[in-house]
Amino acid sequence: MPAPPPSPAPRHPPPTLVQPAPRAPGPRRRLWWHRLIFGLWYRPVEVLDEARDRSAWGAAVLLSLISGGIGVVSMDAFHTQWAADRTAALQLVGLAEAGVLTASLVLGAVAHAIARTLGGIGRFAPTASLFIVLFWVTDLPRLAIAAWLPTDATFVQAATWTTWGFGYLLAVLLIRGQHHLPTWKSTAAVSVQMLTALALLRLGPGS
């Protein structure tokens, strides 16, 4: 007997022309100031990744004012001026705060400009504001210590170099993440800023 003809292969239904709409990503969790400020100490990589492309001007201004205030009121010149004329002492604090804010903004802006020059693609506001935040976050312990001990004390100098090194590392991670640069370019982008800050803001007579 002749073999029965092979049965036709099962026909699959044609693909539907109506594809399910892609699900939109959920809203990003709000990055509160306390999570940003304290998180930079115990989970810096995660916090910097979460803060990517976000501005933090409020935290930057707050930390600049706090740090500038601590630095000024711990100076002997302020105590002398306060005893002689409190109005003039408060004016001195205001001028110092304005100077700290201006210097912080310049440091962040120049770090961003250098990163862009080296091929970075990050935006100005997140880079500059987060640079200011991490700079003052890492410097606050040194400021608190220097408010009670002489600036030339060994412990203060050790705290200066330790916090500066930690801040330098965080700045490299920040520029690398914000501008998508290799590590060596990120290091070059922040080197001048951190060295300038170390010389002017930390080892100067106002420290």
Side-chain angles (χ1 to χ4, degrees), residues 11 61 65 139 195:
R11 297 181 62 184
V61 172
L65 293 177
D139 194 47
L195 291 173

Side-chain angles (χ1 to χ4, degrees), residues 161-175:
W161 288 104
T162 301
T163 56
W164 179 86
F166 184 55
Y168 187 96
L169 175 62
L170 291 186
V172 171
L173 294 176
L174 169 68
I175 297 299

Side-chain angles (χ1 to χ4, degrees), residues 48-145:
L48 288 177
D49 183 68
E50 188 177 353
R52 184 175 299 173
D53 297 326
R54 295 186 179 187
S55 300
W57 287 116
V61 172
L62 174 66
L63 288 169
S64 297
L65 293 177
I66 292 175
S67 301
I70 294 175
V72 172
V73 300
S74 62
M75 296 171 56
D76 293 337
F78 171 79
H79 295 289
T80 303
Q81 187 66 51
W82 180 262
D85 187 348
R86 294 189 176 185
T87 301
L90 292 177
Q91 292 176 351
L92 175 63
V93 172
L95 291 174
E97 295 281 28
V100 168
L101 282 173
T102 303
S104 300
L105 179 59
V106 169
L107 289 173
V110 174
H112 168 78
I114 295 176
R116 296 283 292 193
T117 302
L118 295 176
I121 59 175
R123 295 187 294 121
F124 170 77
T127 303
S129 61
L130 289 172
F131 184 91
I132 296 170
V133 168
L134 67 85
F135 178 81
W136 289 119
V137 162
T138 55
D139 194 47
L140 275 175
R142 196 274 311 178
L143 283 171
I145 295 172

